[in-house]
Amino acid sequence: MIVLDACRHDHLETLFPLFFEGRVKPTKTVATNTFEYLQYNWPETYAYPYVTAATPVTSEAFEFDGQDSGDGLPQEDLYAYYRGYTPINHFTDLVEVWRDSWDSELRVCPPEPTTRRAIARADDAARMVVHYFQPHAPFIGERRPDLSRERSTIHDENVKIDEDVWDAVKSGSISTSELGQYYSSNLRRVLAAVSRLVSQTQFDRYVLIGDHGEALGEYGGFAHSMEHPLVNKVPWAEVETTKDGCPSMWEYDAPTEDETGTGTTRSRLKELGYIE
């Protein structure tokens, strides 16, 4: 199973034929964010690898005891999202790509390291889940917003990675049409990485889903973590094979250890905007 974070059905349906043979259909979800996706879809214990670029899927054993954590982020904030769900209690083989392949310049884990780690684990796995963070913001595709910020701000973990994007759209400096283009470009980048994964592994079946959808200005809504027709609608795609001549996976040089930073689950969740 391949999970694309914040993936919309309509955008995937448009781009899917460029990369794959197969079929795409819409389906409903009650999950409005990754935390709810975990709680609703993975209630048991699973022994096969879960390769994740999404920080909420973490091996950290939360206590949820009401005490503040050592890094100053209140446990109650975490509980509001996880509701007592601890991912490591459900996935016994978590591969946390986000932890060692976080790009401090992009402020996210790109899709290419995720594909490489998944391919490396595929030979000894009968089944596997690969959770990419894209097309969720920040937008790191070929088309991306030009948001001017001081160099010191780019690496400030107190500034949410997508804060300027939504503010710019709401102020009118970025149109909703441009926002859709940035989102689509982000999706193209991750689909190129997914195509490499499919072409270089030998699983019997490949299903591609969204953990939740995304609002791009429709009905006045932006992003997710809310009830919205396009947040509660996700794709279910069955991939038969990759298309000949489909766009290639990006050449991406993984950051050095110094460039990945030392963020914890809590600090990355804060940077992603989940925790204030």
Side-chain angles (χ1 to χ4, degrees), residues 75-218:
Q75 290 277 12
E76 63 184 25
D77 289 351
L78 291 172
Y79 187 84
Y81 282 104
Y82 284 105
R83 301 174 189 168
Y85 184 100
T86 304
I88 192 59
N89 291 341
H90 298 269
F91 303 103
T92 62
D93 190 2
L94 274 179
V95 182
E96 296 170 289
V97 188
W98 66 267
R99 197 177 287 278
D100 57 23
S101 295
W102 186 273
D103 189 310
S104 296
E105 187 73 25
L106 297 175
R107 303 180 70 196
V108 74
C109 178
E112 295 79 19
T114 309
T115 286
R116 296 189 186 103
R117 292 287 292 279
I119 291 172
R121 287 299 312 271
D123 286 344
D124 61 354
R127 62 175 62 181
M128 183 166 62
V129 180
V130 185
H131 191 150
Y132 293 89
F133 195 66
Q134 290 71 35
H136 192 296
F139 300 121
I140 60 170
E142 186 174 351
R143 298 198 64 175
R144 60 183 74 176
D146 181 16
L147 299 170
S148 299
R149 290 191 289 186
E150 295 296 328
R151 187 78 179 173
S152 61
T153 304
I154 292 176
H155 297 285
D156 183 354
E157 292 186 351
N158 291 316
V159 178
K160 300 175 187 178
I161 56 175
D162 56 3
E163 188 172 51
D164 288 344
V165 174
W166 308 122
D167 288 345
V169 175
K170 292 172 185 177
S171 70
S173 58
I174 292 178
S175 68
T176 54
S177 176
E178 290 172 317
L179 178 64
Q181 293 169 19
Y182 301 144
Y183 178 90
S184 182
S185 186
N186 223 26
L187 181 56
R188 287 178 68 103
R189 179 169 179 175
V190 69
L191 289 178
V194 171
S195 70
R196 174 74 64 86
L197 173 65
V198 172
S199 66
Q200 294 194 6
T201 54
Q202 301 295 324
F203 292 102
D204 293 335
R205 187 184 184 199
Y206 296 88
V207 174
L208 194 160
I209 67 168
D211 60 345
H212 54 83
E214 187 84 324
L216 299 174
E218 298 87 357

